[in-house]
């Protein structure tokens, strides 16, 4: 999956690269990050969101312990200021890559941690009815899994009020806790409960991503 690194942790990694002078232009760095990184989001039935980020890592521009301390300090500061409950379950550098696994108590917590006033990385996960009540536009066309010729629109979507829905502003791979039923055009199904959100050549978003699952 081609995707650039996302979230505040990615900002820590990217700032280290820039300070070291180990990458070229902004366009080049975006392309390199899109090639070498990926993020997987797991939606759990209890509402928890598990994010696993994998990036290229070189001790030439960052020591693992320095990076670990920066990320843990960042999370601790967020939890203190926002009274949050985000945890870092794994941070490991091995074989030229670094893996960071984060646990968020909700999609709202994920949004708060990863978004800035200049970069909206909102993630919604709830029922269709909750998405509508939260003000999300459901005036979209979604493809039925198993029959791409069949699409549904706003009226049919609203009729699925208790079905689960995921809406994302940024692309990643997602694992849902139950079978995926409908997806937007910019989402590719990989398995009954796994999908990729497609990105451009720089890993940038191709619009808002919608998934309805059981």
């Amino acid at each position: 999956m081609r995707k650039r690194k996302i979230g505040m942790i990615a900002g820590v990694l990217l700032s280290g690269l820039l300070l070291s002078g180990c990458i070229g232009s902004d366009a080049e760095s975006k392309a390199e990050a899109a090639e070498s990184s990926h993020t997987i989001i797991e939606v759990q039935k209890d509402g928890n969101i598990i994010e696993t980020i994998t990036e290229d890592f070189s001790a030439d521009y960052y020591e693992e312990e320095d990076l670990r301390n920066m990320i843990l300090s960042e999370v601790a500061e967020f939890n203190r200021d926002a009274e949050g409950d985000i945890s870092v379950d794994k941070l490991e550098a091995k074989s030229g890559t670094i893996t960071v696994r984060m646990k968020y108590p909700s999609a709202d917590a994920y949004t708060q941690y990863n978004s800035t006033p200049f970069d909206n990385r909102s993630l919604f996960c709830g029922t269709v009815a909750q998405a509508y009540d939260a003000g999300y536009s459901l005036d979209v066309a979604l493809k039925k899994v198993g029959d791409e010729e069949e699409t549904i629109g706003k009226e049919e979507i609203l009729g699925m009020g208790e079905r689960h829905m995921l809406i994302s502003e940024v692309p990643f791979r997602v694992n849902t806790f139950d079978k995926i039923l409908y997806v937007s055009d910019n989402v590719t199904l990989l398995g009954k409960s796994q999908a990729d959100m497609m990105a451009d050549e720089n890993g940038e978003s191709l619009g808002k991503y919608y998934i309805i699952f059981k």
Side-chain angles (χ1 to χ4, degrees), residues 9 65-79 87-91 102 113:
I9 288 176
E65 191 62 27
D66 291 341
L67 182 60
R68 182 187 305 275
N69 290 338
M70 290 178 71
I71 291 174
L72 292 178
S73 175
E74 182 183 81
V75 171
E77 181 178 358
F78 175 87
N79 285 338
S87 62
V88 180
D89 292 347
K90 180 179 181 180
L91 200 165
M102 306 275 291
Y113 182 78

Side-chain angles (χ1 to χ4, degrees), residues 5-37:
K5 41 197 168 211
I6 67 171
M8 296 179 74
I9 288 176
V12 172
L13 292 169
L14 184 56
S15 65
L17 288 169
L18 291 171
L19 288 171
S20 69
C22 291
I23 58 175
S25 68
D26 182 60
E28 290 172 344
S29 64
K30 285 183 177 181
E32 289 170 2
E35 279 293 338
S36 62
S37 65

Side-chain angles (χ1 to χ4, degrees), residues 48-50 75-89 102-106 108-110 112-113:
N48 287 331
I49 301 294
I50 307 297
V75 171
E77 181 178 358
F78 175 87
N79 285 338
R80 182 174 60 253
D81 293 344
E83 296 184 354
D85 191 23
I86 296 172
S87 62
V88 180
D89 292 347
M102 306 275 291
K103 183 177 181 180
Y104 304 86
S106 66
D108 285 343
Y110 175 93
Q112 292 173 28
Y113 182 78

